[in-house]
Amino acid sequence: MNPIAHKSYEVRLTSPLPIAFILLWSSGYIGGAFGVRYGEPFTMTFYRFALAALVFLGGALAVKAEWPRRLAPYLHAAVVGVLLQALQFGGLYTGISQGVPAGQAALIVGLMPVFVVIGAYFFLGEQLSWRDLPGSILGVAGVAIVVASSFFGPEASIGGYGAVGLALVGITLGTLYQKRFLGGVNLWVGCFIQMLTASLVMLMLAYTTETMRVAEWVPFAASVSWITLMNSVGALTLLYVMIRRGEASKATNLFHVIPAVTQIMASLVLGEVPSGVVILGFVVSGVGVYLMNHSRVK
C-alpha cells in the first residue's frame, strides 16, 4: 500500500505509469493545501479517509477479494492506518494549514526513504551500506537549509513544521511496520481497513479539537474529492497495476522527484514561489535522496 515498501531498482521509463503515479502523489499536497483554506485539517482528513474507505470497500466487494480469516492481519492493517494514514496526513495538513508551503511539506516528508533505510537497519535487520551515508547527509542537509531559511520569514511556524515532522514520523514508521507485518493482505481489503481506522481517528480528533465547520462547501468538496480519488485511490491503483507489471520499483526510485514536482505545482496553482535559498535546499536534498536510492541498486 506504500511504494517505498518495495525494493528499488534503476529506473527505465518504458511506461508512463511511474510518471502518472508521481504526478498523482504530488497533487495530494496541492489538493490538501487548497482544501484547508475552506475547512479545518482534521475535518478534511476525516472526509478524505471516510470516502476512500467506501471506495476501497466497493472495490473489495467488486473483485470478490479474499478477506483474512485471522484477527492479526486486521490489527496490523489498523496500526498501519494510524501511522501511515492518520498520523502522516493529519500532521501534513495541520502543518500546511499553519503556513508551511506545500512544496516544503513535500520536501520534509520526502526524506522518508532515508529514514526507512536507517530504520530497516535497526528494526528489521536489513543491511546498511556506507554508500548510503553521503545521500542521507545531503538529504537531511537540504531539508535543514529550507526549514532554517523559512524561520527568517514573516510567516514562520514552528508548530507547523513540527506537525509536518510528525507526518514524516508517521509515514516512516508506517512503512517499516507494513514491511514487517502486513505482507500477503489483499490491496483493496488492506486499504479499506487502513482508511476506516484512519477515518475514525480523524473523526475523534476533529470532534474534540475542531468546530468541523466548512467555510465554502463547493471548493472544499472538490479538494476532498481530488485528494481521495486521485491521491488515496488513484495513486494506489496505479501502484497495484505497476506491481502486476513488475514496475513498482520505478515509482519508488522516482520518489526523490516528488518534492520538486510538488513545488512546481504549488508555484503554478497556489502561487508559492520559492526563494533562491529554498531552491538550493531542494536541489541538495533531491540529490541526496537520489544518491541513496541509486546506492541501493548497486
Side-chain angles (χ1 to χ4, degrees), residues 58-189:
L61 296 176
V63 302
K64 298 180 180 180
E66 181 179 357
W67 293 72
R69 299 181 179 180
R70 298 180 296 108
L71 178 61
Y74 292 96
L75 296 178
H76 290 319
V79 173
V80 174
V82 172
L83 296 173
L84 194 60
Q85 304 296 339
L87 183 56
Q88 179 193 178
F89 290 103
L92 174 66
Y93 294 144
T94 296
I96 291 176
S97 71
Q98 294 184 12
V100 178
Q104 295 184 25
L107 181 66
I108 295 171
V109 177
L111 280 180
M112 182 265 287
V114 174
F115 288 101
V116 164
V117 170
I118 297 173
Y121 171 76
F122 286 103
F123 300 111
L124 302 182
E126 296 184 7
Q127 185 177 3
L128 181 64
S129 172
W130 284 106
R131 294 179 300 188
D132 296 328
L133 187 59
S136 62
I137 292 175
L138 286 176
V140 174
V143 171
I145 291 173
V146 171
V147 174
S149 68
S150 298
F151 284 150
F152 292 100
E155 299 181 357
S157 172
I158 297 178
Y161 282 100
V164 178
L166 288 178
L168 173 59
V169 171
I171 191 174
T172 301
L173 294 181
T175 298
L176 292 170
Y177 192 94
Q178 181 172 266
K179 291 177 68 176
R180 177 65 177 85
F181 296 108
L182 203 57
V185 178
N186 177 272
L187 174 72
W188 295 98
V189 173

